[in-house]
Amino acid sequence: MTCNDSLRSARAFLPLMAIAAAPLASADRLSGVWSGDRATLELTPHGGSFTEDCASTSIGPVVWRAGARRFTATGRKTTEGPGPQRADVAPKSVAVRFTGQFTGDRLDLNVGADGAPLAHYRLMPGRAVKRIRCL
């Protein structure tokens, strides 16, 4: 095999390598802080966190749908009550599922538990949000 043959073979694989890398690049580009009406999502290609007025959720691995700008993820939502939290009472926690759809610079996020929808959020990248902690 000559040097030119090796270069031609390598060039033939470059488009395939770019296609294989596309979902991760897309996930990297969509990662970051997304905020909306009293909610903030911090998203990475591998997980993240979601914070609402009276709850916080740790998000496990994110499943990206290549080319569709969609993702799904599961997490554990912990709710808080008003006032001081008792040390001898475990906080209420429930398994939740996230589905997200990116449209332009907006993220539509749905949160559900036990197969039922809990909430829908419209989030924007890099925005500050004011939350009122469990009054």
Side-chain angles (χ1 to χ4, degrees), residues 33-41 50-53 109 121-124 127-131:
V33 177
W34 297 78
S35 298
D37 185 26
R38 299 175 11 215
T40 300
L41 173 69
F50 183 68
T51 308
E52 305 167 84
D53 283 347
L109 183 70
Y121 297 92
R122 285 216 164 137
L123 307 175
M124 303 297 284
R127 296 232 174 134
V129 64
K130 182 173 183 167
R131 278 190 301 279

Side-chain angles (χ1 to χ4, degrees), residues 47-106:
S49 64
F50 183 68
T51 308
E52 305 167 84
D53 283 347
C54 294
S56 59
T57 306
S58 59
I59 300 171
V62 175
V63 178
W64 295 93
R65 296 187 185 162
R69 296 178 55 96
R70 294 176 184 253
F71 73 90
T72 59
T74 57
R76 193 105 196 130
K77 180 177 180 174
T78 303
T79 56
E80 304 160 359
Q85 306 299 305
R86 293 181 50 148
D88 61 341
V89 176
K92 183 180 175 186
S93 180
V94 63
V96 293
R97 178 176 173 83
F98 293 90
T99 57
Q101 165 83 41
F102 293 93
T103 307
D105 64 347
R106 184 183 79 217

